[in-house]
Amino acid sequence: GENVEQHPSTLSVQEGDSAVIKCTYSDSASNYFPWYKQELGKRPQLIIDIRSNVGEKKDQRIAVTLNKTAKHFSLHITETQPEDSAVYFCAASIIQGAQKLVFGQGTRLTINP
Amino acid sequence: GAVVSQHPSWVICKSGTSVKIECRSLDFQATTMFWYRQFPKQSLMLMATSNEGSKATYEQGVEKDKFLINHASLTLSTLTVTSAHPEDSSFYICSARARTDGHEQYFGPGTRLTVT
């Protein structure tokens, strides 16, 4: 089955700097890669997603890149703000299949003012 | 749109008792609902996939007789933790996939279960 590895587990950056979180996946059939932000005790919130027919997607300060050949994808947050502090999870699934999401281990991002 | 609710938001129960958690899609029909468990400072682990009108599919290592899932309608799925033990204490989160949406899952707010 699918296995998703995420790193780093913790990341601390100065406000205004950029943050990058990376994930690798094992199943080449996976074709949908969402990123979630989770605050303590809250539900995961989808912040951006990418499908395998696209190499990059951007939404304001957030961007995701996908390298299908290497089976890895990354989340980029620019101009970080204190409210970006949270735990971020990557995930992978197969759209046409059972559509089960396999999550990475999570990255605790702290933005230092 | 695409709101998913869970009830209760938190529950404390005694060891050996059963607890039922409800997951509802409020403004859309969900063909598939997923149940996850999240221990403190850990990731979400899929427990089972539930399709309306059929038996749930459980992930490896999840006891189907302990975690009973019922998906009786296109807007409601329930998870019953039977004979709960302290090690079942966790954050249980459901998600729902809309009938007309191919891939996005909408998450409920989660239920914090504490077994004493």
Side-chain angles (χ1 to χ4, degrees):
Chain A
E2 176 67 282
N3 182 51
V4 178
E5 297 288 332
Q6 180 175 347
H7 61 94
S9 57
T10 61
L11 180 61
S12 182
V13 301
Q14 288 298 120
E15 182 178 354
D17 289 349
S18 296
V20 180
I21 303 171
K22 299 182 179 181
C23 289
T24 59
Y25 61 99
S26 61
D27 190 346
S28 57
S30 290
N31 54 12
Y32 175 62
F33 307 93
W35 285 89
Y36 294 90
K37 176 183 180 182
Q38 187 181 32
E39 297 178 357
L40 188 63
K42 302 288 182 64
R43 77 185 83 198
Q45 290 184 307
L46 178 69
I47 55 172
I48 196 167
D49 56 11
I50 191 167
R51 299 177 69 162
S52 61
N53 57 350
V54 175
E56 183 174 356
K57 184 177 179 181
K58 189 174 182 180
D59 183 4
Q60 299 182 350
R61 298 187 295 109
I62 296 173
V64 57
T65 58
L66 171 66
N67 184 325
K68 278 184 60 178
T69 304
K71 289 190 280 189
H72 66 70
F73 56 112
S74 301
L75 176 71
H76 304 253
I77 306 175
T78 59
E79 300 173 24
T80 53
Q81 300 168 3
E83 52 265 36
D84 294 330
S85 296
V87 179
Y88 291 81
F89 293 97
C90 63
S93 77
I94 302 172
I95 291 178
Q96 295 82 0
Q99 302 190 17
K100 299 188 298 184
L101 285 172
V102 178
F103 284 84
Q105 296 86 347
T107 296
R108 182 170 299 278
L109 175 63
T110 302
I111 308 301
N112 301 307
Chain B
V3 178
V4 176
S5 70
Q6 275 184 247
H7 178 80
S9 55
W10 60 270
V11 58
I12 301 172
C13 70
K14 291 187 181 297
S15 189
T17 61
S18 295
V19 174
K20 180 184 282 188
I21 302 169
E22 292 186 349
C23 176
R24 293 182 185 270
S25 56
L26 298 184
D27 50 2
F28 66 98
Q29 292 185 327
T31 49
T32 306
M33 288 184 171
F34 303 88
W35 286 95
Y36 296 86
R37 181 167 50 184
Q38 186 177 31
F39 292 110
K41 297 187 178 181
Q42 293 191 24
S43 187
L44 286 82
M45 296 299 295
L46 180 65
M47 300 174 67
T49 303
S50 143
N51 292 297
E52 185 262 342
S54 63
K55 290 184 178 180
T57 302
Y58 290 81
E59 294 300 300
Q60 192 173 6
V62 178
E63 300 175 57
K64 62 180 180 180
D65 294 330
K66 180 172 181 61
F67 299 99
L68 302 178
I69 292 172
N70 184 281
H71 193 159
S73 76
L74 284 171
T75 60
L76 173 65
S77 177
T78 61
L79 167 68
T80 302
V81 183
T82 63
S83 187
H85 290 103
E87 56 265 31
D88 297 324
S89 298
S90 188
F91 194 49
Y92 291 87
I93 308 175
C94 71
S95 71
R97 182 166 59 86
R99 194 174 205 172
T100 56
D101 187 302
H103 50 273
E104 185 169 351
Q105 291 184 25
Y106 303 96
F107 284 85
T111 297
R112 173 77 57 194
L113 170 63
T114 301
V115 184
T116 61

